[in-house]
Amino acid sequence: MATYMNPFTDIGFKRIFGQEFSKPLLIDFLNNLFYGQLHIVDLKFLDKEQLGIFDQDRSLIYDVYCELDTGEKIIVEMQNCKQGNFKSRSIYYICESIARQGEQGMEWNYQIKAVYLIAFLNFTLSDIDTDFRTDVLLMNKRKKQEFSDLLNLIYLQLPYFEKSAEACENNFDRWIYLLKHMETIVKLPWPEKNPVFQRLAEISDLGSLSREERMKYDEAIRKYRDTLCVMQSQLDEGIQIGRDEGIRIGRDEGIQIGRDQGIQIGIEKGRQQTQASIARNLKAQHVPLDVIASSTGLSIQEIENLS
């Protein structure tokens, strides 16, 4: 029986990272993610400005959209299954957030704030990298130098995070470990390492949910699991179709090869029979054996054996 909410559901993810009462958790996570790069004091959720890009299947993809006290925008996204053109989609939506900063009138001179997209991926993508964390920004290709800090994408491929609880070296590692294993943890560790982890335990505790909240969460879990089952079934079906098609093609090719070989054997046998018949006729006319051999391609021994 699970003790804590599954963060890979819409409700679990939003409860941990997308509510006013859980804002300190999101700030702490982001400060650990951006350690040495950004220090966030406060942020606000842009509920009325939600990008509205993940409505097709809320059991697979969901996001939190917020603005820092310094004006930068951050999109925190959780995605559970692979999607075609994922890199292109993530670039498109971070660019959309930048474009929305445009203002009407002659006085606006492209003063835009940086946008960060943080993508939790509950799968791996070979065209991103084989590392758990991949940071992408605009750079000068020749000089290998940063060109602009206005567009930032951070991909976190959770399957590549394999650290045990004991191996976690800092609070960022601990955050990822907790998010990845939360549904199977009986008691969240490290409250002494960071008070926020104690708050995380309280917020995600299933026993703290009201009856209505628990019903909604159970429904979210059901949809999450059903969707993954459907995706797995489609994958299995695709594999089986591919296997059957491979067998069919192999069988058809085998039949064709056998047919071609049979025809070739028949042609060769017919040629041999024709040459033997010619050799008999010439032999009956007392044509020298060496002449018959030269004419038919048969050996003298084969001609002598003809009756």
Side-chain angles (χ1 to χ4, degrees), residues 163-178:
K163 290 186 177 182
S164 64
E166 295 73 24
C168 292
E169 302 173 357
N170 50 52
N171 281 336
F172 178 68
D173 284 351
R174 297 181 184 107
W175 260 112
I176 300 302
Y177 178 87
L178 290 175

Side-chain angles (χ1 to χ4, degrees), residues 1-6 15 183 201-211 213-214 217-218 221:
M1 192 70 175
T3 303
Y4 302 105
M5 302 183 78
N6 185 332
R15 185 173 178 85
E183 193 180 24
E202 295 169 357
I203 287 177
S204 59
D205 185 357
L206 291 174
S208 67
L209 300 180
S210 67
R211 184 174 182 275
E213 289 173 332
R214 184 55 189 263
Y217 173 74
D218 289 343
I221 282 288

Side-chain angles (χ1 to χ4, degrees), residues 219-253:
E219 177 65 14
I221 282 288
R222 185 190 66 77
K223 288 182 178 179
Y224 167 74
R225 291 171 178 165
D226 287 352
T227 302
L228 292 185
C229 285
V230 170
M231 296 293 289
Q232 186 60 51
S233 296
Q234 292 174 340
L235 175 61
D236 293 342
E237 182 179 354
I239 292 174
Q240 186 60 49
I241 291 174
R243 183 181 294 116
D244 293 344
E245 182 67 9
I247 292 173
R248 185 191 66 77
I249 292 174
R251 184 179 61 247
D252 292 346
E253 288 182 351

Side-chain angles (χ1 to χ4, degrees), residues 19-288:
Q19 304 293 330
E20 283 295 328
F21 62 76
S22 61
K23 184 189 293 186
L25 275 66
L26 180 58
I27 292 175
D28 186 84
F29 170 78
L30 293 175
N31 277 332
N32 281 286
L33 176 77
F34 292 120
Y35 185 78
Q37 180 181 358
L38 292 176
H39 181 71
I40 301 167
V41 177
D42 194 15
L43 57 80
K44 64 178 179 179
F45 296 108
L46 303 178
D47 294 334
K48 295 181 180 179
E49 300 176 45
Q50 276 286 39
L51 299 180
I53 58 180
F54 305 127
D55 292 335
Q56 292 183 351
D57 193 339
R58 301 300 297 183
S59 61
L60 284 181
I61 313 168
Y62 24 90
D63 70 300
V64 171
Y65 186 40
C66 57
E67 180 180 273
L68 306 186
D69 52 333
T70 52
E72 290 95 339
K73 305 292 193 302
I74 293 184
I75 305 165
V76 185
E77 170 190 335
M78 175 71 78
Q79 180 155 334
N80 282 310
C81 288
K82 292 183 180 181
Q83 182 187 61
N85 300 318
F86 177 79
K87 284 199 304 184
S88 298
R89 186 186 65 79
S90 58
I91 293 170
Y92 174 81
Y93 287 122
I94 197 172
C95 291
E96 184 181 52
S97 181
I98 290 176
R100 288 188 178 189
Q101 298 181 42
E103 298 178 3
Q104 294 183 350
M106 299 293 293
E107 296 181 359
W108 186 66
N109 60 351
Y110 300 96
Q111 294 177 339
I112 59 178
K113 294 289 186 178
V115 177
Y116 300 82
L117 186 144
I118 303 158
F120 286 97
L121 307 181
N122 205 13
F123 53 87
T124 62
L125 284 175
S126 59
D127 61 346
I128 290 182
D129 206 338
T130 57
D131 294 328
F132 156 62
R133 175 173 177 170
T134 301
D135 291 62
V136 179
L137 48 74
L138 296 175
M139 64 173 291
N140 182 313
K141 184 176 181 179
R142 184 176 66 84
K143 294 185 176 181
K144 302 294 190 295
Q145 295 176 346
E146 181 179 318
F147 177 75
S148 171
D149 63 353
L150 295 178
L151 186 153
N152 303 267
L153 300 109
I154 302 174
Y155 300 99
L156 304 176
Q157 299 182 85
L158 294 174
Y160 286 134
F161 186 86
E162 299 177 342
K163 290 186 177 182
S164 64
E166 295 73 24
C168 292
E169 302 173 357
N170 50 52
N171 281 336
F172 178 68
D173 284 351
R174 297 181 184 107
W175 260 112
I176 300 302
Y177 178 87
L178 290 175
L179 292 173
K180 185 173 180 179
H181 299 285
M182 185 174 294
E183 193 180 24
T184 60
I185 295 175
V186 177
K187 183 178 181 180
L188 260 65
W190 306 308
E192 74 286 351
K193 298 286 186 181
N194 188 345
V196 167
F197 293 147
Q198 180 59 43
R199 181 59 178 155
L200 173 63
E202 295 169 357
I203 287 177
S204 59
D205 185 357
L206 291 174
S208 67
L209 300 180
S210 67
R211 184 174 182 275
E212 182 179 359
E213 289 173 332
R214 184 55 189 263
M215 291 177 64
K216 290 181 179 180
Y217 173 74
D218 289 343
E219 177 65 14
I221 282 288
R222 185 190 66 77
K223 288 182 178 179
Y224 167 74
R225 291 171 178 165
D226 287 352
T227 302
L228 292 185
C229 285
V230 170
M231 296 293 289
Q232 186 60 51
S233 296
Q234 292 174 340
L235 175 61
D236 293 342
E237 182 179 354
I239 292 174
Q240 186 60 49
I241 291 174
R243 183 181 294 116
D244 293 344
E245 182 67 9
I247 292 173
R248 185 191 66 77
I249 292 174
R251 184 179 61 247
D252 292 346
E253 288 182 351
I255 292 172
Q256 185 60 46
I257 291 173
R259 182 182 295 114
D260 293 342
Q261 289 178 343
I263 292 172
Q264 189 62 38
I265 291 172
I267 292 172
E268 180 60 23
K269 190 171 183 179
R271 186 188 67 80
Q272 292 174 354
Q273 291 175 346
T274 300
Q275 296 298 83
S277 178
I278 293 172
R280 275 192 204 92
N281 291 332
L282 293 175
K283 185 179 178 183
Q285 298 175 33
H286 305 291
V287 176

